[in-house]
């Protein structure tokens, strides 16, 4: 993965429309696994971490990374920028960027498949797909898992299933998540009821990057809480049902907003568009909020503009991606200026 | 008209966050800096947030266990040296053996959090047949004890035959994999 070929392939799935578009932005399936007989990464010594990395990467290169799309990198070899870009593109978690010894990542940039090594668990298999494709994403992750398993022996207990560093992942090790854009539920305040219902259904709700609980740009990530006592298929199907329900709620809220005050709604989205058109500098979170409003305006036929991918634009106006365009010595102010300019460019304004 | 940041009351608010804590949802207006800080520090709805509640519910149930957990000293994994105290702080276990070493306290955490204590999902392929047989074996052994306790010796003998059959198959598997 050199800088150049990377820039050309800003994760394809980010800009692709999937089923459930435009409300369901993406689906993610993640499997957590550990190697038998090796301490979990948080308590493993350097030697153990190296050994685990060697075993996992050998399995990946022998059984999984069979085409040119795959790229295997040690964390300590990745620059701050590359780590930041991967986080912004949701390919690795934020904590991966705190690079600790012995970590590595195998990525297939194009289609959102990745295997991270020695993060919280020895192995984290992740597949992201555009739109609501939970079953497809899980099947793909499961396929990678089964291939890896021909090479390595996973830590597995007859009662508890796959043993993970955190007991919140034990059993299937499967976390399925959806990224949703829910501006109308937030505007109408209906989101409170939705979130409370999701909580009761054993579903987590989090913000854009899956950590912390502040939600930016009306983008919500919801995922299954329980990983034990259910089959993988049950977990995946439940997520599908829940996501459909939430998307339905958003559609209803949008209709309600139109009915109650089309003028108020149009005023709101056009004010956001006005700021995007005129702003001379812009913070990241502010940009995400504005993108969300403009996008809502387009989807509701209030703003006659070409549609765009909210995830892709969100990634493009991220700190590291902008610095990549500006060079490393860019000041904070330069980045904020470039963000305002680049956002107009992305939206063809 | 400018709106000031709810947090620092100094800068102009440009970010309108929806804040989720548990099932509570509120809206806050923040400046970029405060929003960033807030995103980093807000408590994730995860096991760690959930732990104190579970562990305090143990109180009165098993006094000794709670004392052990509170002092944290007695409960240390013999394999990796991780203490139950470490687990409470980090939410992470040190190795596979921790599951066994902390099984009493952990079992409750798992039951509360996962609402189950039995894996019914995927079983590793290579070991799958063996794992299935071993699980069956455990069930049968329990069954056998029960039949003996109930003095139903005929039924017990039938169960014992089934156990022997599985043991033979398991041994054959071991020999097979040794050859590999």
């Amino acid at each position: 993965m050199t800088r150049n070929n990377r820039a050309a392939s800003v994760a394809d799935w980010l800009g692709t429309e999937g089923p459930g578009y435009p409300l369901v932005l993406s689906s993610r399936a993640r499997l957590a696994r550990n190697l038998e007989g090796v301490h979990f990464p948080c308590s493993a010594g350097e030697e153990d971490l190296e050994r685990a990395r060697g075993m996992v990467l050998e399995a990946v290169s022998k059984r999984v990374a069979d085409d040119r799309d795959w790229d295997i990198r040690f964390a300590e070899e990745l620059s701050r920028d590359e780590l930041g870009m991967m986080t912004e593109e949701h390919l690795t978690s934020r904590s991966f960027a705190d690079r600790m010894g012995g970590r590595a990542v195998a990525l297939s940039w194009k289609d959102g498949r990745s295997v991270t090594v020695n993060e919280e668990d020895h192995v984290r298999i992740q597949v992201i797909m555009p739109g609501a494709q939970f079953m497809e994403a899980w099947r793909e992750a499961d396929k990678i898992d089964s291939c890896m398993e021909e090479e390595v022996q996973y830590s597995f207990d007859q009662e508890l299933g796959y043993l993970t560093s955190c007991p919140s992942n034990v059993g299937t090790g499967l976390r399925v998540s959806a990224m949703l854009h829910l501006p109308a539920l937030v505007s109408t305040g209906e989101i409170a009821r939705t979130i409370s219902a999701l909580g009761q259904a054993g579903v987590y709700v989090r913000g854009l990057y899956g950590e912390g609980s502040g939600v930016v740009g009306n983008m919500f990530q919801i995922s299954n809480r329980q990983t034990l006592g259910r089959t993988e298929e049950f977990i995946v199907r439940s997520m599908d049902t829940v996501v459909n329900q939430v998307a339905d709620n958003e559609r209803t809220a949008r209709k309600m907003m139109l009915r109650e005050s089309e003028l108020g709604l149009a005023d709101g989205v056009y004010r956001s568009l006005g700021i995007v058109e005129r702003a001379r500098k812009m913070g990241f979170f502010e940009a995400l909020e504005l993108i969300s409003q403009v996008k809502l305006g387009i989807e509701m036929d209030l703003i006659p503009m070409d549609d765009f991918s909210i995830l892709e634009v969100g990634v493009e106006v991220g700190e590291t991606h902008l610095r990549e365009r500006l060079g490393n010595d860019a000041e904070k102010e330069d980045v904020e200026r470039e963000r305002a300019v680049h956002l107009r460019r992305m939206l063809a304004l | 008209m400018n709106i000031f940041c709810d947090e620092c009351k100094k800068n102009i608010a440009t970010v309108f966050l929806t804040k989720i804590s548990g099932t509570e949802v509120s809206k806050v207006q923040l400046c970029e800096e405060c929003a960033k800080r807030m995103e980093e520090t807000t408590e994730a709805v995860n096991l760690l947030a959930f732990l104190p509640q579970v562990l305090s519910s143990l109180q009165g149930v098993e006094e000794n266990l709670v004392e052990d957990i509170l002092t944290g000293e007695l409960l240390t994994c013999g394999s990796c040296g991780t203490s139950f105290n470490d687990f409470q702080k980090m939410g992470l276990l040190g190795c596979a053996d921790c599951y066994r070493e902390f099984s009493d306290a952990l079992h409750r955490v798992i039951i509360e959090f996962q609402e189950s204590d039995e894996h019914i999902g995927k079983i590793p392929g290579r070991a799958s047949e063996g794992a299935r047989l071993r699980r069956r074996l455990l069930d049968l052994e329990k069954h056998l004890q029960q039949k003996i306790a109930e003095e139903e010796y005929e039924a017990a003998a039938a169960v014992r035959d089934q156990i022997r059959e599985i043991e033979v198959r398991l041994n054959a598997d071991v020999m097979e994999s040794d050859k590999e």
Side-chain angles (χ1 to χ4, degrees):
Chain A
M1 178 189 69
T2 65
R3 286 276 176 78
N4 292 338
N5 72 30
R6 248 229 76 276
S9 66
V10 165
D12 282 0
W13 63 271
L14 276 170
T16 318
E17 289 176 18
Y21 185 87
L23 306 183
V24 189
L25 304 175
S26 67
S27 311
R28 185 180 73 117
R30 187 225 63 200
L31 292 168
R33 301 283 186 257
N34 286 283
L35 303 175
E36 195 173 73
V38 187
H39 291 172
F40 298 153
C42 70
S43 79
E46 224 168 278
E47 221 168 276
D48 268 352
L49 288 173
E50 287 294 337
R51 191 155 66 94
R53 177 158 77 177
M55 285 160 78
V56 175
L57 289 184
E58 194 187 329
V60 171
S61 45
K62 261 195 190 162
R63 300 283 176 174
V64 182
D66 46 3
D67 48 52
R68 278 190 199 169
D69 294 338
W70 284 87
D71 199 351
I72 299 178
R73 297 289 295 267
F74 286 7
E76 60 264 31
E77 288 169 0
L78 290 164
S79 68
R80 277 270 145 219
D81 282 359
E82 286 172 314
L83 286 165
M85 301 250 272
M86 290 185 341
T87 312
E88 283 178 7
E89 292 183 20
H90 313 278
L91 288 166
T92 53
S93 80
R94 210 174 282 189
S95 66
F96 187 82
D98 305 338
R99 57 183 154 176
M100 200 176 74
R103 289 189 175 173
V105 60
L107 283 172
S108 176
W109 287 97
K110 278 191 173 169
D111 53 14
R113 288 182 294 169
S114 68
V115 179
T116 44
V117 188
N118 287 338
E119 215 177 335
E120 196 178 291
D121 295 292
H122 293 140
V123 182
R124 286 278 175 107
I125 299 165
Q126 178 177 283
V127 176
I128 313 185
M129 288 184 176
Q133 301 191 70
F134 307 104
M135 194 56 85
E136 290 81 356
W138 166 64
R139 289 235 163 88
E140 197 56 44
D142 185 56
K143 209 162 84 188
I144 296 174
D145 180 54
S146 298
C147 290
M148 303 258 309
E149 211 218 336
E150 288 175 31
E151 291 294 319
V152 293
Q153 188 83 43
Y154 286 140
S155 183
F156 183 84
D157 178 85
Q158 313 217 18
E159 297 287 321
L160 290 173
Y162 292 96
L163 298 180
T164 50
S165 179
C166 182
S168 63
N169 293 314
V170 78
T172 56
L174 173 65
R175 184 92 57 216
V176 186
S177 1
M179 193 84 81
L180 295 140
H181 182 223
L182 308 171
L185 282 177
V186 173
S187 278
T188 56
E190 286 294 310
I191 193 74
R193 211 179 305 164
T194 302
I195 286 173
S196 128
L198 289 175
Q200 276 160 16
V203 174
Y204 277 139
V205 183
R206 283 181 283 194
L208 180 67
Y209 287 100
E211 280 161 73
S213 53
V215 174
V216 190
N218 303 316
M219 281 180 268
F220 291 80
Q221 182 180 291
I222 68 175
S223 42
N224 62 304
R225 178 167 126 174
Q226 278 100 11
T227 54
L228 183 67
R230 293 135 180 84
T231 64
E232 287 81 358
E233 279 183 42
F234 179 86
I235 293 171
V236 173
R237 277 185 213 291
S238 306
M239 182 53 65
D240 205 49
T241 311
V242 164
V243 165
N244 275 327
Q245 185 58 53
V246 175
D248 273 349
N249 292 357
E250 169 71 14
R251 275 181 215 110
T252 310
R254 288 185 183 194
K255 278 184 203 143
M256 200 167 86
M257 283 177 82
L258 263 187
R259 214 174 29 238
E260 279 178 5
S261 172
E262 184 171 346
L263 183 64
L265 179 59
D267 184 60
V269 297
Y270 268 100
R271 276 169 191 265
S272 296
L273 179 63
I275 297 175
V276 172
E277 280 174 332
R278 297 288 167 180
R280 287 300 173 258
K281 68 184 185 80
M282 201 180 281
F284 177 56
F285 287 167
E286 182 184 12
L288 290 178
E289 288 293 319
L290 294 170
I291 293 167
S292 166
Q293 289 302 314
V294 173
K295 178 83 170 132
L296 176 67
I298 297 173
E299 286 167 10
M300 299 197 68
D301 291 327
L302 294 166
I303 301 178
M305 241 173 84
D306 284 343
D307 197 14
F308 61 89
S309 155
I310 192 167
L311 278 180
E312 188 178 24
V313 175
V315 164
E316 283 281 343
V317 298
E319 185 89 13
T320 333
H321 280 74
L322 289 171
R323 281 188 187 279
E324 173 92 350
R325 310 176 70 83
L326 292 170
N328 260 335
D329 46 353
E331 299 285 325
K332 184 171 176 259
E333 199 151 63
D334 298 328
V335 174
E336 296 197 331
R337 186 198 299 124
E338 178 62 18
R339 183 174 287 122
V341 174
H342 192 52
L343 181 55
R344 281 192 283 278
R345 203 180 291 141
M346 290 296 293
L347 302 192
L349 287 170
Chain B
M1 186 195 70
N2 282 321
I3 305 162
F4 288 94
C5 171
D6 282 348
E7 201 57 28
C8 64
K9 320 258 188 247
K10 220 169 55 202
N11 300 332
I12 293 164
T14 50
V15 181
F16 301 87
L17 277 183
T18 306
K19 194 179 156 199
I20 309 167
S21 32
T23 54
E24 294 273 300
V25 182
S26 54
K27 282 180 191 169
V28 279
Q29 305 168 340
L30 302 168
C31 66
E32 190 83 13
E33 267 96 80
C34 290
K36 215 170 248 169
R37 202 170 49 239
M38 202 171 122
E39 207 213 14
E40 278 158 14
T41 54
T42 39
E43 194 182 41
V45 194
N46 58 14
L47 182 81
L48 217 48
F50 187 80
L51 267 182
Q53 187 193 327
V54 178
L55 294 175
S56 69
S57 76
L58 289 180
Q59 227 129 18
V61 182
E62 286 166 53
E63 289 291 337
N64 292 338
L65 181 61
V66 174
E67 264 170 41
D68 287 355
I69 291 168
L70 293 180
T71 57
E73 284 170 17
L74 297 170
L75 274 174
T76 300
C77 173
S79 297
C80 69
T82 301
S83 69
F84 197 79
N85 228 343
D86 297 334
F87 168 65
Q88 274 179 273
K89 276 187 213 138
M90 305 280 296
L92 300 176
L93 297 164
C95 69
D97 291 338
C98 289
Y99 278 95
R100 206 186 51 235
E101 300 263 352
F102 305 146
S103 63
D104 287 347
L106 209 50
H107 185 250
R108 292 187 184 253
V109 173
I110 290 174
I111 282 275
E112 286 286 327
F113 189 86
Q114 301 275 6
E115 292 168 13
S116 167
D117 61 353
E118 192 194 1
H119 175 63
I120 57 167
K122 186 177 184 176
I123 291 174
R126 192 204 249 169
S128 67
E129 185 57 18
R132 255 184 230 121
L133 288 175
R134 272 190 287 275
R135 178 178 287 192
R136 177 97 182 107
L137 199 61
L138 284 178
D139 288 346
L140 286 173
E141 275 163 1
K142 263 186 222 157
H143 199 54
L144 177 65
Q145 292 308 320
Q146 197 188 333
K147 290 293 162 205
I148 292 171
E150 289 165 0
E151 299 188 2
E152 290 186 32
Y153 298 113
E154 231 169 279
V159 175
R160 201 189 47 223
D161 288 346
Q162 278 177 289
I163 290 177
R164 284 207 180 124
E165 199 180 310
I166 290 175
E167 278 171 344
V168 169
R169 280 170 66 188
L170 274 173
N171 284 334
D173 277 358
V174 171
M175 280 156 70
E176 195 67 25
S177 62
D178 279 351
K179 264 186 241 163
E180 281 179 25

